[in-house]
Amino acid sequence: QLQLQESGPGLVKPSETLSLTCTVSGGSISSSGYYWGWIRQPPGKGLEWIGNIYYSGSIYYNPSLKSRVTISVDTSKSQFSLKLTSVTAADTAVYYCARMEWLHWFDPWGQGTLVTVSS
Amino acid sequence: EIVMTQSPATLSVSPGERATLSCRASQSVSTKLAWYQHKPGQAPRLLIYGASTRATGIPARFSGSGSGTEFTLTISSLQSEDFAVYYCQQYTNWPPGLTFGGGTKVEIK
């Protein structure tokens, strides 16, 4: 059974860089036909797609975040990562990683990790 | 960007009753629409993709319909475990990418 687990600091200072890693287990991150994505949910708000990456390196970013986001993949570690620069309080959210069937739907998702931006 | 609008924001339903949730797209997404269930503190769960195909392991009481700009998720007989927030998501517009609706909270009446 495929499982994804987010990890990273739960507290980031304003203007600094948020860094998270998603570890994939129970399946191959290099499987054909699957992208790997990041989604976030600010407190009390809905879901926002951040971006996704294919094991070969093809990447798509949400245009509203593109200038601050970098997603990368390390197939040797079965991990993919998110970096979000110049964070503000508006970036406080639960961050989820998920597998994406081609550029379609997300399934399954990780449990999510809360990242708070505060000094 | 395609804007997805869900209604109502909150739906109060008694256990055993039917729940009907709506999702509207600002332009046609054909049937490239998914529905998710999200409970507090848990990972969102894929319910429906392709507007009407149930994901693996999803009970038959969940059904999706619609195409173009109007979509519906129906829960035929609400069980206690179905009280959650439901999101729709379109995946037709690459680039720039996909968008989620704002969610409908299904609560106990």
Side-chain angles (χ1 to χ4, degrees), chain A residues 2 26 32 39 52 55 59 63 67 70 73 84 88 91 95 107 110:
Chain A
L2 189 76
S32 177
I39 307 99
N52 44 267
Y55 75 91
I59 301 175
S67 63
T70 301
V73 63
L84 181 65
T88 70
D91 295 309
Y95 285 77
D107 181 49

Side-chain angles (χ1 to χ4, degrees), chain A residues 39 41 45-49 52 60-63 96 100 103-107 109-111, chain B residues 32 34 36 38 41-44 46 49-50 87 89 91 94-98 100-102:
Chain A
I39 307 99
Q41 183 176 33
K45 296 187 177 182
L47 299 168
E48 179 181 32
W49 167 66
N52 44 267
Y60 291 90
Y61 295 132
N62 186 326
Y96 296 96
M100 190 179 199
L103 296 174
H104 297 162
W105 53 85
F106 295 101
D107 181 49
W109 298 55
Q111 286 293 312
Chain B
K32 295 185 184 300
Y36 301 88
H38 193 196
Q42 295 188 19
L46 175 69
Y49 60 89
Y87 293 95
Q89 174 231 315
Y91 48 90
W94 290 93
L98 58 88
F100 290 93

Side-chain angles (χ1 to χ4, degrees), chain A:
Chain A
Q1 180 182 359
L2 189 76
Q3 292 186 316
L4 296 91
Q5 180 65 58
E6 306 87 352
S7 59
L11 181 64
V12 181
K13 290 182 168 56
S15 80
E16 295 190 344
T17 296
L18 179 159
S19 296
L20 294 175
T21 296
C22 182
T23 301
V24 178
S25 59
S28 174
I29 200 170
S30 302
S31 293
S32 177
Y34 295 107
Y35 276 76
W36 304 90
W38 290 97
I39 307 99
R40 69 181 183 179
Q41 183 176 33
K45 296 187 177 182
L47 299 168
E48 179 181 32
W49 167 66
I50 299 171
N52 44 267
I53 189 166
Y54 199 58
Y55 75 91
S56 62
S58 174
I59 301 175
Y60 291 90
Y61 295 132
N62 186 326
S64 68
L65 297 169
K66 187 175 182 179
S67 63
R68 298 194 292 131
V69 173
T70 301
I71 296 176
S72 59
V73 63
D74 186 336
T75 56
S76 67
K77 295 182 179 179
S78 288
Q79 294 178 334
F80 60 106
S81 299
L82 168 70
K83 291 188 185 300
L84 181 65
T85 62
S86 305
V87 298
T88 70
D91 295 309
T92 293
V94 176
Y95 285 77
Y96 296 96
C97 62
R99 185 182 70 174
M100 190 179 199
E101 177 125 357
W102 281 115
L103 296 174
H104 297 162
W105 53 85
F106 295 101
D107 181 49
W109 298 55
Q111 286 293 312
T113 186
L114 174 62
V115 178
T116 301
V117 178
S118 176
S119 56

Side-chain angles (χ1 to χ4, degrees), chain B residues 44-58:
Chain B
R45 179 171 71 148
L46 175 69
L47 298 176
I48 301 284
Y49 60 89
S52 61
T53 302
R54 276 191 301 277
T56 302
I58 301 303

